[in-house]
Each structure stands twice: as C-alpha cells, then as structure tokens.
Amino acid sequence: MIDPHSTTLLSAVLFCLGILGVFVRRNVISVLLSLELMLSAAVLALVSFDSTSAAIGSTVDPTAGQGLAVLVLTLVTAQTIVGLGLLIAARRTGAPLDPEHAGTAQW
Amino acid sequence: MTGLSILFSLHCVVICTAALVGIFTTRGVRTSISCFLLAMSSLAGVFVLLGAHAIAIAQLFFCAGIGLAYFFVAEVLDAAGDGPGRDSKSPRPHSWQWLIIMLGIAGATTMGDLLFGLLSADAPTHSPGVASSTRVLADATGQGSFAAVANTVLVEQGIALIGVGLLLLTALVGGGYLGRRGLD
C-alpha cells in the first residue's frame, strides 16, 4: 500500500502549484485550469483518506470519500462550463478577457 | 522500495513536471492546456494505485470532456481574433492533435498501472466503492456466489482495464483518422 503521507504531500504540492498558477498567469484559460488543478488535489486527498480509513479498518463509511470525490469532480465540471461560457460571452460582448480588468466589464 | 512505490514516484514526477510546465510555458495556450490536462489525467494512475478504479475512470473521462471544452473555446477565441486562445508560435491550431496525444499518454500510463495491478503481488486491494456495491447487489439478488465472484480484485481491475482500453482505442483511432485526413 502507498504511504498516505506521500499522497497527502502530493496533494499539497498540487494545490500549491494551482495557487501559483492562479497568481502567476494572466491568461483566463490558464487561471481556470489552475483552479481545476487545485480541485483535483482535493479529490486526491479525499481518495487518499478514503483508502487509508479502509485500510486501518475505520468505522467511517468506506464509500464516503469516493462519493465526495465524485461530487467534487461534478462541481469542477460545472465550474469549467460556467467559466468557459462566461469567456465566450465576454468575447461576444467585447468585454476585456484579462482577469485583472474583469471587474470593469459591462454585461 | 516496492514496485508500487516506484510507480507512484514516477507518477509524482510526471504530474508535478506537467503542472510546472503548464504554469510557466510561454509556447501558447494549447501547450498550457495539454500540460495541465496531462497532469490531471496522470492523477488517474495514482487513483488506480490507491485502489480507486471507479474514480480513476471518472477522472480520465472528466479530463477528456473538459479537454474538448477548453480546446473548443481556444478555437472559438482564435476565430474571433487575438485572444487567450491564440498561439503566436504556430500559425494554425492543432487542438485535436494535442487532445489525442494527451488522451493517448494518459490512457497508456493508466493501462500500465492496471496491468501492474493485475500481474503484481503488490496489487492494491479492491476499492471500497466497488466492494460495497457488489455486496449490496448480492444481498438484493440473494446470490452469494455473485459476490464471491464479483468481489475480487481481478474482476474489478479487468473491468477498469476494458474501460481504459476503450479510451486508448478511441485515441488511437482518432489519431489515425486525423493523421490520414491531414489535420489542421
């Protein structure tokens, strides 16, 4: 079995890389992808804790972590579709695509 | 160091490198999208190593779906003129090629993990989700033999292997078709 500390560390590193991407990139698509990377890190943590609790014989429902992971994946998909939809709408209305000027957009 | 640990370390290297390249690349947004998608779909391999096959398959199909959406938006923004989808180094877009390459790599690595799980003594135990669902199904149908057969690592990984194989086949067929047609 994989050491749960390793998967938690990987999850934390991925989350930090996602935060770095959000702050470093100016491109809206890359910012959205960085947010997804952060949520994927959360999915990894959930699955890791789930498999760990199953391995140590915890009384917690063994399917809870994976169920939550599926829920997070669904939420990430919804977030992606809404974000990309807003991006296309911004393009059509001529609103700025730069995230720093998104607050000044007239919809 | 067991085979499982080595595979996990390799996945960690691939995921972190792809994510770093995706963040810091200056070669256009398509490269960035592909690297991020490669990082996220390589997570499917980690899920397989953790024994969560259902989540691994869900993650692969999730990456394929959002990959389509992102590349579609990049095309739309390119068609509308200069935008975040524009790739200054490449005069013409190659979104489908990127997506198929990403799917092929992710499918192949996940398939490798599944084969490792089938052939190795280090194989992780079956995921609690599948174990629980087969138990519920067996209780509902009153067939103890069903649970005895279905509740094995072999059956579960075999099903997951078929799923990833189909994904890989789709990527290969798509790549072959687009290659013959002369993409872009």
Side-chain angles (χ1 to χ4, degrees), chain B residues 45-85:
Chain B
V46 176
F47 293 147
V48 168
L49 296 178
L50 284 169
H53 300 105
I55 304 293
I57 302 297
Q59 178 82 9
L60 271 183
F61 281 101
F62 159 74
C63 287
I66 64 163
L68 273 175
Y70 273 109
F71 283 125
F72 172 74
V73 169
E75 296 291 332
V76 168
L77 296 180
D78 264 357
D82 284 341

Side-chain angles (χ1 to χ4, degrees), chain B residues 12-27:
Chain B
C12 289
V13 170
V14 169
I15 290 168
C16 292
T17 309
L20 276 172
V21 172
I23 290 170
F24 292 110
T25 184
T26 53
R27 292 202 55 183

Side-chain angles (χ1 to χ4, degrees), chain B residues 15 18-19 21-23 25 30-40:
Chain B
I15 290 168
V21 172
I23 290 170
T25 184
R30 284 182 183 78
T31 313
S32 182
I33 294 173
S34 302
C35 289
F36 273 115
L37 288 178
L38 182 60
M40 284 192 282

Side-chain angles (χ1 to χ4, degrees), chain A residues 81-91 97 107:
Chain A
I81 300 306
V82 171
L84 294 179
L86 283 173
L87 199 56
I88 290 181
R91 165 59 66 194
L97 293 178
W107 297 92

Side-chain angles (χ1 to χ4, degrees), chain A residues 2 6 14 17 20 25 27 29-30 32-34 36 40 43-44 47 62 66 70 73 76-77 80 84 91 97, chain B residues 8 15 20 22-25 29 32-33 36 40 43 46-47 49 52 55 59 62 66 70 80 82-84 127-128:
Chain A
I2 298 172
S6 311
L14 269 185
L17 283 176
L20 185 69
R25 295 304 298 251
N27 191 313
I29 291 179
S30 298
L32 275 174
L33 280 164
S34 300
E36 279 170 26
S40 294
V43 172
L44 176 62
V47 172
Q66 292 195 21
V70 171
L73 277 181
V76 179
T77 311
T80 305
L84 294 179
R91 165 59 66 194
L97 293 178
Chain B
F8 179 72
I15 290 168
L20 276 172
I23 290 170
F24 292 110
T25 184
V29 78
S32 182
I33 294 173
F36 273 115
M40 284 192 282
L43 270 180
V46 176
F47 293 147
L49 296 178
I55 304 293
Q59 178 82 9
F62 159 74
I66 64 163
Y70 273 109
D82 284 341
S127 60

Side-chain angles (χ1 to χ4, degrees), chain A residues 8-25:
Chain A
T8 311
L9 184 66
L10 175 63
S11 170
V13 168
L14 269 185
F15 194 83
C16 293
L17 283 176
I19 291 176
L20 185 69
V22 168
F23 285 110
V24 165
R25 295 304 298 251

Side-chain angles (χ1 to χ4, degrees), chain B residues 7 15 19 32 44 51 59 84 89 100 109-110 114 128 138 144 146 151 158 167 175:
Chain B
L7 267 180
I15 290 168
S32 182
Q59 178 82 9
K89 298 278 178 167
I100 284 165
T109 51
T110 310
L114 286 165
F146 174 78
N151 212 358
L167 187 74

